[in-house]
Amino acid sequence: MRATLFGAIFSIAIAIQHTAFAEESCAFNEQSEGDDPKAAQMKQFTISNAGQEETTQFGQRINNTDSLKAGLGGPTLLEDFMMREKIMHFDHERIPERAVHARGVGAHGYFEPYADWSNITAARFLRTPDNKTPVFVRFSTVLGSRGSPDTVRDVRGFATRFYTEEGLFDLVGNVVAPFFVHDAMKFPDLIHAGKPEPNTETPQAGTAHETAYDFFAEFPETLHTVFWALSGRGIPNSLRQVEGFGVHTFRLINEEGVSHFVKFHWKPLQGLSNMLWDEAQKVCGKDIDFHRNDLYTAIDNGHYPEWHLGVQIIPEEDQDKFDFDLTDPTKLVPESLVPVTYLGKMVLNRNVENYFSETEQITLHPGHVVRGVGFTNDPLLQGRLFSYTDTQINRMNSANFMQIPINRPINKVHNNQRDGYMQQNVYKGKVAYYPNGLQDNTPSMVEPDQGGYIDYPEKMSGHKQRGKSAKFFEYYAQARLYYNSLSPAEKQQMIDGLRFEIGKSKSLDVRKRMINVINHVDNDLARRIAKRINVPLPDKIVDNDKQTTVGISIEEYPKAKDIRTRTVAILTAPGIDIDEANAMFNYLSEEGAYPTFVGINLGDQDGLNITTTYLHTASVLYDAVYVPGGKSGINVLTNDLHEFPYEEPKNFIVEAYRHCKPIAATAEGTKFIDSALGKKITTKDGIVTGKSPSNIQNDFKKALIQQRFWSRLYLDQE
């Protein structure tokens, strides 16, 4: 009896011990669940100091208002552990910024597939319609430092982390489809050439300088991406209105082991829109955080940006049917040849709680893939697979960076990787190797047919050597295809961008060599640029085949269906018709737009709540301008040089017109537009006028959906 009772007690104790070992609470040892499993996981690590008492890092409650001194006028004492801890922690708060993509902004959201895509991939997050996978997206500029402006000209990063139930999948791409160089070997050279010149550390966050174009001229494979960057694609109006591209060719592999080549695309439901270069430079000075603020504001207001996730699908047997190599990252697959298939939709619906903990510490990596997603022999991609781990260890100062909350997968993580700086997990037992008998060969290996990663059995052949295949040596056809596919206004913007950037090179030799490279694309294009930068006009050496493709022109991209998030400045002064001003404000607000009363002084003005003034804001910060009537108010806006010594209200109109934005006015406000522009206006090309707000609301809405009216843009004469 006693033996039986003892045996039962012993069995229960062992069972409890095994249960505790298997189910102990640890974010790496648990499968996060719920509607948003990543948000639930992050909540475990989120701290609020509101209503709490101050303590040291070791938990002692304190009053550290002042340092400890030998008498009130005496020296500070070294024994003051409160001061030592606070200052020493402050001294170590910064980590190395990213070598590239240092300037970023991020947001959380979810991805939901439209259908079961088992026919092309084994990835579970693409096979379960209506299942929401948490995501985190980090937008970034490439060249600028962490403190550089948002609206510089740049190819920009568009990096998405999927927190899938099978692990992390990081799609680390850009907002332009191609990349500058074929091979990762040239990436350091590219960045050294584009970054500030080392002797002066100038200029910041841009390629408009000599070393960049010296490199581009010597390395013509860069030209295709240079064209993308120097067009409207390089200066987006909003990060909510950019496409994203995976850049490389990847593989999708299904459960039967069948592989398809794919190019990943993000297609914004908000439409595409870009700034003009003059506008972008002015925004840099008026609001250095313009793109960040735009994204934060839209999400805070419940106007969540959305993107289709699409792929171009190319069967394995079609790899060699193109006149370019699929593994060449400087090339795209024209959408006219292979249309984009939409797999699902991503929605960004939650801002970060803490920029550093989330946006700065996320360690995105193109090597984070799930079963059903594979790599190709793209030489740039292969180099990135090494580089990203290396650079993240450098930044985070530890191989344990995946234990940081924003980096943790939502599924269980078990392996024999141990120790290192800042190890947070407490691993039980004596076994940290495989194979083992003491722990029944666990963590156990998982074969592909049991849910393990699928390595595609690609057949390899060839000699070990340096170099590249023949198709990689064609540099100009896709640059020409891109240029041909732009509208006349978009071509003009690209030409103006190239004139500006190449013209920044003091070296005539650099400018000549760059014009020579462009002349291989199109003679007329090269001559239009050369004329403005004091370079001899080149002779024609190649015919333009006039080939075009869909999916390139921003103008031709589908527009948004509403005016949500459109920002409208309503210009006011004492004496403005407040009924008209309020009527337009209320209409725009009901439609989801963001109207703002701009006035002389903050606060109440004839019953209008003035939230910004002509001193604090500028036309370039808005999508459109509206001027209500009111004879005495219009007189102030037009003629009061005491209040407006630099004619600030008129400049609002002039800049909006110059940047091809919608302008609306009612009653006497129409005369103010005439006065500002120095000519009689007519209702066309984004200018909307009428007797009252109700007369122009529909037309103004259409103009706001259109966003830009490039018919106003000056084009070169033939």
Side-chain angles (χ1 to χ4, degrees):
M1 176 74 177
R2 296 173 90 184
T4 304
L5 179 61
F6 177 82
I9 293 172
F10 181 79
S11 298
I12 292 170
I14 292 297
I16 291 172
Q17 184 177 4
H18 277 274
T19 301
F21 177 79
E23 298 180 1
E24 67 178 346
S25 180
C26 169
F28 258 32
N29 201 41
E30 292 184 337
Q31 185 91 22
S32 297
E33 298 177 349
D35 292 336
D36 189 339
K38 186 59 187 178
Q41 185 191 69
M42 292 289 289
K43 191 173 182 180
Q44 299 177 53
F45 302 94
T46 303
I47 296 172
S48 173
N49 283 336
Q52 303 300 315
E53 296 177 319
E54 179 103 3
T55 71
T56 63
Q57 292 281 29
F58 55 88
Q60 173 61 52
R61 292 185 296 172
I62 56 172
N63 179 347
N64 63 357
T65 304
D66 301 296
S67 56
L68 185 65
K69 305 179 184 70
L72 292 180
T76 300
L77 300 180
L78 189 60
E79 73 175 64
D80 188 352
F81 63 87
M82 302 180 200
M83 180 193 70
R84 292 202 317 271
E85 181 190 80
K86 186 173 183 179
I87 291 180
M88 289 174 69
H89 190 281
F90 174 78
D91 291 342
H92 295 270
E93 282 179 357
R94 296 292 167 262
I95 63 175
E97 68 174 34
R98 291 166 169 85
V100 287
H101 298 277
R103 173 76 174 184
V105 60
H108 295 270
Y110 65 87
F111 170 79
E112 192 172 12
Y114 292 136
D116 179 354
W117 298 102
S118 301
N119 60 318
I120 57 172
T121 182
R124 199 178 303 164
F125 82 99
L126 290 172
R127 299 168 56 191
T128 50
D130 302 322
N131 180 57
K132 294 181 178 179
T133 298
V135 300
F136 186 88
V137 174
R138 186 178 188 272
F139 301 100
S140 56
T141 52
V142 177
L143 286 179
S145 65
R146 185 176 163 188
S148 57
D150 278 347
T151 58
V152 296
R153 188 184 290 280
D154 196 281
V155 296
R156 286 179 175 76
F158 189 135
T160 307
R161 168 165 290 173
F162 298 80
Y163 296 94
T164 86
E165 56 189 283
E166 297 180 291
L168 301 179
F169 171 41
D170 291 351
L171 183 54
V172 189
N174 287 334
V175 305
V176 301
F179 195 68
F180 293 94
V181 295
H182 297 141
D183 195 321
M185 184 74 85
K186 297 306 296 181
F187 184 78
D189 300 292
L190 168 71
I191 299 305
H192 287 166
K195 281 278 192 178
E197 296 176 8
N199 56 332
T200 61
E201 186 61 11
T202 62
Q204 175 62 243
T207 54
H209 58 101
E210 205 155 84
T211 58
Y213 282 87
D214 180 40
F215 181 80
F216 296 153
E218 288 298 297
F219 223 58
E221 69 190 56
T222 61
L223 189 62
H224 185 202
T225 308
V226 169
F227 277 15
W228 279 73
L230 273 293
S231 70
R233 297 277 183 166
I235 39 178
N237 191 58
S238 165
L239 296 175
R240 297 176 295 105
Q241 292 188 292
V242 296
E243 284 186 272
F245 301 89
V247 178
H248 309 287
T249 299
F250 290 85
R251 292 182 187 273
L252 290 182
I253 308 151
N254 66 17
E255 292 285 7
E256 288 71 43
V258 177
S259 164
H260 291 83
F261 294 108
V262 295
K263 287 277 194 178
F264 286 104
H265 295 251
W266 291 110
K267 299 285 190 178
L269 277 70
Q270 300 75 230
L272 293 175
S273 182
N274 68 276
M275 294 181 175
L276 290 173
W277 181 227
D278 174 76
E279 175 189 4
Q281 292 177 90
K282 291 173 179 175
V283 172
C284 284
K286 298 293 184 179
D287 183 0
I288 193 174
D289 304 303
F290 183 81
H291 283 155
R292 289 186 180 191
N293 291 332
D294 173 81
L295 181 64
Y296 291 151
T297 300
I299 293 175
D300 281 342
N301 287 336
H303 296 144
Y304 305 137
E306 302 176 352
W307 285 262
H308 295 297
L309 174 62
V311 287
Q312 291 172 286
I313 304 170
I314 300 137
E316 187 87 14
E317 59 270 20
D318 290 347
Q319 177 178 3
D320 298 320
K321 81 171 192 178
F322 304 101
D323 57 6
F324 54 90
D325 195 307
L326 274 182
T327 64
D328 181 350
T330 71
K331 308 294 196 300
L332 53 80
V333 178
E335 291 185 35
S336 293
L337 296 181
V338 183
V340 175
T341 299
Y342 291 158
L343 303 183
K345 182 172 72 173
M346 177 175 72
V347 179
L348 298 183
N349 62 359
R350 181 163 59 89
N351 285 320
V352 298
E353 294 286 351
N354 183 277
Y355 178 88
F356 180 84
S357 297
E358 298 170 77
T359 307
E360 187 64 16
Q361 287 199 126
I362 193 168
T363 53
L364 295 145
H365 187 344
H368 293 162
V369 292
V370 293
R371 68 189 307 269
V373 181
F375 309 115
T376 63
N377 297 328
D378 177 332
L380 179 65
L381 173 60
Q382 292 294 325
R384 291 180 75 198
L385 296 176
F386 164 78
S387 176
Y388 275 67
T389 300
D390 190 47
T391 193
Q392 301 297 9
I393 291 175
N394 176 62
R395 291 184 62 243
M396 310 312 294
N397 200 32
S398 170
N400 292 314
F401 58 79
M402 293 305 295
Q403 297 178 17
I404 295 171
I406 191 64
N407 291 323
R408 292 178 181 241
I410 60 172
N411 59 319
K412 295 180 180 181
V413 174
H414 292 286
N415 54 52
N416 291 314
Q417 297 171 23
R418 293 291 188 269
D419 307 340
Y421 284 112
M422 308 306 291
Q423 174 61 254
Q424 297 180 52
N425 298 329
V426 179
Y427 292 100
K428 282 191 170 187
K430 63 178 70 175
V431 174
Y433 51 88
Y434 182 92
N436 63 74
L438 295 176
Q439 204 166 267
D440 296 328
N441 274 332
T442 61
S444 58
M445 302 296 104
V446 186
E447 295 300 324
D449 60 355
Q450 299 298 315
Y453 184 74
I454 303 170
D455 287 300
Y456 182 71
E458 180 182 5
K459 186 178 180 179
M460 300 287 187
S461 64
H463 300 286
K464 182 170 65 175
Q465 59 186 335
R466 299 185 185 274
K468 49 197 173 189
S469 62
K471 286 184 179 180
F472 278 73
F473 287 95
E474 203 297 306
Y475 306 134
Y476 306 110
Q478 289 217 347
R480 185 180 304 117
L481 179 73
Y482 182 78
Y483 177 66
N484 291 343
S485 301
L486 300 177
S487 71
E490 290 171 328
K491 288 180 179 177
Q492 184 67 56
Q493 292 171 61
M494 192 188 88
I495 289 167
D496 290 343
L498 286 162
R499 287 167 172 166
F500 178 87
E501 295 230 343
I502 302 172
K504 284 286 188 175
S505 295
K506 295 179 181 179
S507 167
L508 178 60
D509 175 64
V510 169
R511 302 200 302 271
K512 282 182 176 179
R513 284 188 284 120
M514 196 65 208
I515 291 300
N516 178 61
V517 170
I518 295 171
N519 196 37
H520 284 77
V521 173
D522 181 83
N523 179 247
D524 178 66
L525 169 63
R527 290 170 71 91
R528 288 169 71 179
I529 300 166
K531 182 178 179 181
R532 297 291 184 92
I533 61 171
N534 192 31
V535 170
L537 303 186
D539 294 329
K540 187 175 183 179
I541 58 174
V542 65
D543 289 325
N544 186 329
D545 56 20
K546 304 299 181 183
Q547 287 190 9
T548 64
T549 182
V550 298
I552 296 296
S553 171
I554 293 175
E555 273 197 78
E556 294 176 3
Y557 190 88
K559 304 298 179 187
K561 297 179 180 179
D562 54 53
I563 61 171
R564 295 190 313 162
T565 74
R566 297 288 192 268
T567 54
V568 182
I570 300 178
L571 305 190
T572 76
I576 282 292
D577 189 320
I578 61 172
D579 291 333
E580 290 188 10
N582 278 321
M584 183 59 76
F585 185 96
N586 294 336
Y587 168 74
L588 293 171
S589 298
E590 289 167 4
E591 292 288 327
Y594 302 159
T596 300
F597 288 130
V598 182
I600 297 173
N601 300 309
L602 294 174
D604 181 78
Q605 175 191 285
D606 301 332
L608 301 177
N609 181 25
I610 306 301
T611 54
T612 191
T613 73
Y614 297 97
L615 173 67
H616 296 105
T617 193
S619 179
V620 291
L621 303 181
Y622 297 90
D623 293 313
V625 180
Y626 165 66
V627 184
K631 186 174 181 180
S632 60
I634 294 300
N635 185 58
V636 173
L637 292 176
T638 306
N639 301 313
D640 195 334
L641 294 179
H642 174 72
E643 293 291 355
F644 305 119
Y646 303 107
E647 298 187 312
E648 290 87 346
K650 288 185 179 179
N651 285 333
F652 245 94
I653 303 302
V654 171
E655 297 237 299
Y657 186 85
R658 179 181 182 183
H659 299 145
C660 307
K661 298 177 180 179
I663 300 171
T666 47
E668 294 88 354
T670 303
K671 295 180 180 179
F672 177 70
I673 305 297
D674 293 342
S675 174
L677 297 178
K679 61 181 178 180
K680 182 73 174 178
I681 61 169
T682 56
T683 302
K684 67 174 185 177
D685 297 333
I687 307 294
V688 183
T689 61
K691 293 181 179 180
S692 68
S694 61
N695 295 139
I696 68 168
Q697 286 173 355
N698 289 336
D699 288 340
F700 194 29
K701 180 178 179 179
K702 291 177 183 177
L704 286 167
I705 289 174
Q706 179 69 23
Q707 284 192 271
R708 301 290 173 137
F709 293 84
W710 300 125
S711 53
R712 294 190 218 147
L713 188 69
Y714 174 80
L715 302 181
D716 290 346
Q717 295 182 356
E718 294 294 333

